[in-house]
Amino acid sequence: MHDVRVPVLIVGGGPVGLSTALFSQRHGVGTMLVEKRDGTSTLPRAPGLQARTLEMFRSAGLGPDIRALEIGDSHPDFEGGIIQAETFAQVAEAVTVERPSLDGPSISPERVMGCGQDRYERVLAEKAGALGADIRFGTKLVELRQDPDGVTAVAEEQHSGRRITVRADYVVAADGTNSTVRALLGVPRHGRGTVFDALSIYFHSNDLEMLLKDHRFILFYASASGTLTGLSRLHGCSPWLAAPLYHPDQGEKPEDFTDERCAQIIRTAAGRADLDVEIVAKIPWEGAQLVAERFRVDRVFLAGDAAHVHPPAGGFGANTGIHDAHNLSWKLAAVLQGRGGAALLDTYHEERHAVGSAMAAQALVRNRIRHGYATDEDKRSMVDDIIVTLGYRYSSSSVSAPADRPVLTPELRLEGEPGTRAPHVWLERDGERISTIDLFWDDHVLLTDSSPAARHWAQAARSVADELGLSLRTHVLGPDGELVPQDRDWAQAFGVHEGGAVLVRPDAMVAWRSPHPAGDLAQALARIRTSLARAAGHAPAPAGR
Ligand SMILES: Cc1cc2nc3c(=O)[nH]c(=O)nc-3n(C[C@H](O)[C@H](O)[C@H](O)COP(=O)(O)OP(=O)(O)OC[C@H]3O[C@@H](n4cnc5c(N)ncnc54)[C@H](O)[C@@H]3O)c2cc1C
């Protein structure tokens, strides 16, 4: 007998587990989430939410709730980039070590924002709960075994010691870098391992705010304390977060860092011996680079830090994990609701392992550059943050694109190529201004213009969707369409000519496009059948791809 029966069990209630619960519930899939802590994070940790991540929350109906959590107007902080000086007091002479290009209204309807995990985890938990997720804090997963029909897990309530048996169709392991689930499954990780040890020091200091109040930056590195101390601006200043490195190989231990020593490190980094410093918390952590060999083991999926960890340089950790959750949730929903074929679930590993590995490599390169030991090859291989976070490409059996393309391109190219995030174009719909990104959530979507030639595509797509049992919407774009582009020509943005068509997946990734019209309905049917079937996991990838 099982105490609980649920379609999807999520292990871990960090940003990734909570996002999985939210997205899945939004897709109509019942979830239970177990988290061993008593509640959501009380510390800010990951402070930067990227434009693509915000697009995902926006599509899930949570845009304004998350946007409301922004700490001040953080965009100028991002514009300030990453700066360095000997002390924080020497901010006027600080040099810029990295200035990532940012999003903009022509690239995304959203933009990066600063906001700690403590703020957005709370909102994710509330919203997922309101949508029906069964969220159990203070509950730790201790056992897990799977058979061809499902997964049986045992979780233990931390306060009472009571054990609960859960039977689930699928399990998502979002239980962080020391993942219990990954260990139980025996999935190895590969990579550099630990690249540094750091101590997050959370503290209050009015003097520091007075010193820096006119300066905007993402991170400010000071070298005066004998170790590089990074000060984050995106969290705001109540509390501040500074993270000096420490050296276990030289005998240093986290417990050596008393409050007095931490206050001293901050005063030295600030270049002000009399700086007021009140220590709030000290958390040791490892900057590591490791990627799990497999992100799927039958009915269990690894997501977030359980699947890939990278040094925080670039701020990719929580964001990449939330993108994992977004990629996986619609696929699980499609399969559980009978719309997606089993092959769709394989594409989770195919797509996200490649992206997780690329992110981990990019984070490592940034880490080397910031700490001054990058090779020329490192510098050459680094691509702009916006490409890493918004411009990555999938090459899987679900998209009609050549296999083994590089995940990252040297330039940002969001031009409607299959495997990339659909271009953002502002549209007018019945007097309302929306983005193309707002068209994508639970259905596959076919975009065409209103030319007679394009009608074959829409007719064929609807017929194939009925045949396969998929949910598909078709939209006509153009000056005389139901959706009227406002800022640029949609066809040009998506790389199609008059009479062409684009098929977009529920996660806003382009699955297929035909730049040109189909000759007739029979031709349209033949081409759409393969592409739509593959996009929804109903057909194997063609041989040799
Ligand atoms: C100082 C610092 C700065 C960072 N800055 C950024 C940034 O700017 N941007 C960014 O994107 N990322 C950043 N990161 C990384 C980011 O914090 C992590 O990538 C992110 O928290 C990973 O989310 P997650 O949900 O996968 O894992 P976690 O947040 O680690 O959550 C996993 C959860 O699983 C729970 N758990 C573990 N085992 C069990 C079990 N057996 N049963 C039940 N629950 C369990 C844990 O208690 C935990 O709450 C930063 C990290 C640090 C340390």
Side-chain angles (χ1 to χ4, degrees), residues 11-17 34-37 45-48 117 139-141 174-176 180 200 285 303-305 312 315-319:
V11 186
V16 179
V34 291
E35 163 57 54
K36 66 181 182 186
R37 289 180 317 204
R45 291 181 68 188
Q117 274 177 230
T139 308
K140 181 179 176 180
L141 177 113
D175 51 348
T180 309
S200 282
W285 54 280
D305 279 15
F316 305 139
N319 287 283

Side-chain angles (χ1 to χ4, degrees), residues 321-335:
I322 294 167
H323 297 201
D324 293 342
H326 187 255
N327 181 291
L328 183 57
S329 303
W330 76 268
K331 294 175 179 175
L332 285 173
V335 171

Side-chain angles (χ1 to χ4, degrees), residues 10-18 34-37 39 44-50 117 120-121 139-142 173-181 200 202 234-235 241 243 285-286 303-321:
I10 300 159
V11 186
V16 179
L18 292 168
V34 291
E35 163 57 54
K36 66 181 182 186
R37 289 180 317 204
R45 291 181 68 188
L49 288 177
Q50 294 147 357
Q117 274 177 230
Y120 66 79
E121 281 190 15
T139 308
K140 181 179 176 180
L141 177 113
V142 288
D175 51 348
T177 185
N178 299 316
S179 170
T180 309
V181 176
S200 282
Y202 294 92
L234 302 178
H235 294 95
L241 166 60
W285 54 280
E286 282 180 357
D305 279 15
H308 44 75
V309 280
H310 7 102
F316 305 139
N319 287 283
T320 311

